[in-house]
Amino acid sequence: MSTVFSLLGQGLKLDTRADIEAHLAGVDPTVIEEIHLGGNTIGVEAAQALADFLAKTTQLRVANFADIFTGRLISEIPPALSAICDSLIGKSTLVEIDLSDNAFGGRSVDPIVPFLSTARSLQVLKLNNNGLGPAGGTVIADALHTLAQSLGKGERSNLQTIICGRNRLEDGSADAWAAALRAHGTLREVRMPQNGIRMAGISALVRGLAANADLHHLDLQDNTFAAEGAKTMAAELNRGAWPLLRQLNLSDCVLGEEGEVSPVVEALAKGLQEKLEILQLQNDNLETEAFSLLAGVVEKLPKLRRVEAQWNEVDEEDEGVIALLTALKKQGGKLVMNDEDEEEEEEEAEAEAEADEAPAEKAPAKETVPAVQPTAPALPAATEAAPKSVSDKATDALADLLEKVSIR
């Protein structure tokens, strides 16, 4: 029997208990390790029936509930979310939860807190594109801080990955996030792009991140560093923070000022993060001297294979650009300076994928175990298909609305 139950991307409108029980019938919750329900829309009654099923699981490791409230009323989300999250409390096997692409806003996140603040086994938290705003972001960060503080003396947190981008966290939640990140100190991957965090907030966040020595992947794209944030980031890089860092994305962060070399580039040029493989510095106001400095450090970064630096203040024939390109080529790396480079790379990847598929087509197909499917007849499909994931603009608009609405 398969250990995965999936209705992923089926566009089902599950309103009542009967709607979802038709899909759960015949499924043994005690063997399920993964459940994937993203791309369907779940109402309150259906969520309560799902919670009853989840409560009976004993081996659940991965819970994917991304994009499960599309088209739901604001008043429906808190009770449905509460039923689902409460059923997961105390699940010591659970290591990953994904609640991305649900328009919670700042007023619908409270039901997550009892679960999140006690989820000691959790390793991966995905809350991307939820329209949290500063208030909702603070609620989530405080819950994570409470989780860290609940650990016994000498007990290490299990949390390794936080993905919380496109949430308008802004400076208002930055201190809370910094405290949470510092309290855990075990993070290997943090992705918080496009959150409208500015200089003071970024400085606080970077200081909190500095307590995570095992960090491998850091993405702060499209937040504003400017002089203050760049100085703080440079200070941490200069003292050798994140020695295991493999991927760093600081694109669209306003790292440089006209006529000056960003202190972040100067810090990276010391080569202290020697395991770095991918460096993304797109649209950061970098000029020729910055590229020359990066060219000089390449040999100190033997694993560096890719630098993305499109839309900076240089031409492709610039001396610094050519120096960096040459240095990277010597160790099999690549410098991406325009869209054509990316398109060429995509075409090469597609060609390689096709070449890999050709021999596979000739080989006899292996028998695979499908994900658990409902054994009872499914109910007729809804007359109207559930809409796709909330678009970027729609999410932000709904988030703004949520800030003005109170749920009684």
Side-chain angles (χ1 to χ4, degrees):
M1 179 178 289
S2 175
T3 60
V4 178
F5 176 77
S6 179
L7 297 176
L8 188 64
Q10 293 189 22
L12 302 172
K13 188 177 182 184
L14 306 171
D15 295 321
T16 67
R17 281 184 168 272
D19 288 342
I20 196 166
E21 284 173 350
H23 299 279
L24 296 173
V27 180
D28 181 359
T30 64
V31 303
I32 296 301
E33 295 181 10
E34 297 186 19
I35 184 165
H36 300 272
L37 298 180
N40 302 287
T41 178
I42 301 176
V44 177
E45 283 188 25
Q48 290 167 344
L50 173 61
D52 291 342
F53 177 86
L54 293 171
K56 297 173 185 175
T57 59
T58 57
Q59 301 181 54
L60 187 64
R61 299 181 67 255
V62 177
N64 177 4
F65 302 130
D67 187 20
I68 60 169
F69 295 124
T70 296
R72 294 294 166 182
L73 298 174
I74 294 171
S75 59
E76 291 182 274
I77 295 177
L81 185 61
S82 181
I84 292 170
C85 288
D86 286 354
S87 71
L88 299 175
I89 293 175
K91 298 291 182 187
S92 60
T93 58
L94 187 66
V95 297
E96 178 176 334
I97 188 166
D98 188 352
L99 291 165
S100 301
D101 301 315
N102 292 304
F104 297 144
R107 296 182 180 272
S108 297
V109 295
D110 287 342
I112 303 174
V113 173
F115 158 72
L116 191 58
S117 60
T118 58
R120 293 192 178 191
S121 61
L122 196 65
Q123 297 177 18
V124 179
L125 173 63
K126 297 179 181 179
L127 274 169
N128 202 59
N129 190 34
N130 298 108
L132 296 177
T138 299
V139 170
I140 296 297
D142 286 347
L144 289 173
H145 194 202
T146 299
L147 172 62
Q149 290 182 318
S150 72
L151 301 174
K153 186 176 181 181
E155 187 178 0
R156 183 176 170 85
S157 168
N158 286 307
L159 191 62
Q160 297 180 9
T161 298
I162 292 178
I163 299 175
C164 191
R166 301 198 67 257
N167 272 305
R168 302 186 305 110
L169 298 178
E170 302 175 1
D171 283 10
S173 68
D175 286 340
W177 276 103
L181 296 169
R182 184 181 298 109
H184 282 276
T186 53
L187 292 159
R188 295 166 60 91
E189 179 177 358
V190 175
R191 287 193 260 171
M192 301 179 73
Q194 299 178 358
N195 274 309
I197 304 172
R198 295 182 62 79
M199 295 76 77
I202 280 294
S203 293
L205 203 60
V206 166
R207 293 188 187 103
L209 285 164
N212 296 266
D214 293 337
L215 198 64
H216 283 58
H217 184 168
L218 176 58
D219 181 356
L220 296 175
Q221 180 180 6
D222 201 11
N223 293 291
T224 304
F225 279 60
E228 180 183 349
K231 183 178 178 181
T232 304
M233 184 71 180
E236 298 301 340
L237 290 168
N238 278 326
R239 72 172 187 81
W242 314 305
L244 303 179
L245 194 63
R246 286 171 169 74
Q247 182 167 351
L248 177 62
N249 188 353
L250 299 179
S251 295
D252 305 299
C253 287
V254 196
L255 294 183
E257 301 289 338
E258 186 176 354
E260 299 179 3
V261 178
S262 169
V264 173
V265 173
E266 292 177 330
L268 288 169
K270 294 183 179 179
L272 299 180
Q273 290 70 37
E274 59 183 20
K275 296 186 181 296
L276 195 63
E277 298 175 4
I278 300 174
L279 177 61
Q280 294 161 288
L281 298 172
Q282 304 167 349
N283 193 32
D284 276 323
N285 301 333
L286 304 183
E287 300 178 359
T288 183
E289 190 176 347
F291 282 81
S292 297
L293 280 174
L294 291 173
V297 77
V298 169
E299 62 181 11
K300 295 181 183 177
L301 303 173
K303 295 189 176 183
L304 186 63
R305 67 175 189 272
R306 181 180 180 87
V307 175
E308 297 179 11
Q310 302 98 305
W311 315 302
N312 279 292
E313 305 298 318
V314 290
D315 295 322
E316 291 184 41
E317 302 303 317
D318 183 275
E319 183 179 330
V321 172
I322 293 173
L324 179 55
L325 175 64
T326 303
L328 284 167
K329 277 187 174 180
K330 283 183 180 178
Q331 58 188 43
K334 180 161 187 169
L335 174 62
V336 180
M337 287 297 296
N338 56 48
D339 293 338
E340 291 180 3
D341 291 338
E342 282 193 305
E343 289 171 5
E344 181 183 331
E345 222 172 34
E346 289 172 4
E347 289 173 1
E348 290 174 357
E350 287 176 6
E352 288 178 6
E354 289 174 3
D356 290 340
E357 286 174 6
E361 289 174 359
K362 297 178 183 179
K366 294 183 179 179
E367 185 177 353
T368 58
V369 180
V372 173
Q373 296 296 327
T375 56
L379 294 182
T383 55
E384 291 184 2
K388 295 182 180 179
S389 300
V390 181
S391 68
D392 296 352
K393 292 183 180 178
T395 299
D396 291 340
L398 181 54
D400 291 335
L401 176 61
L402 289 169
E403 292 294 330
K404 303 174 183 177
V405 176
S406 60
I407 301 169
R408 301 182 183 275

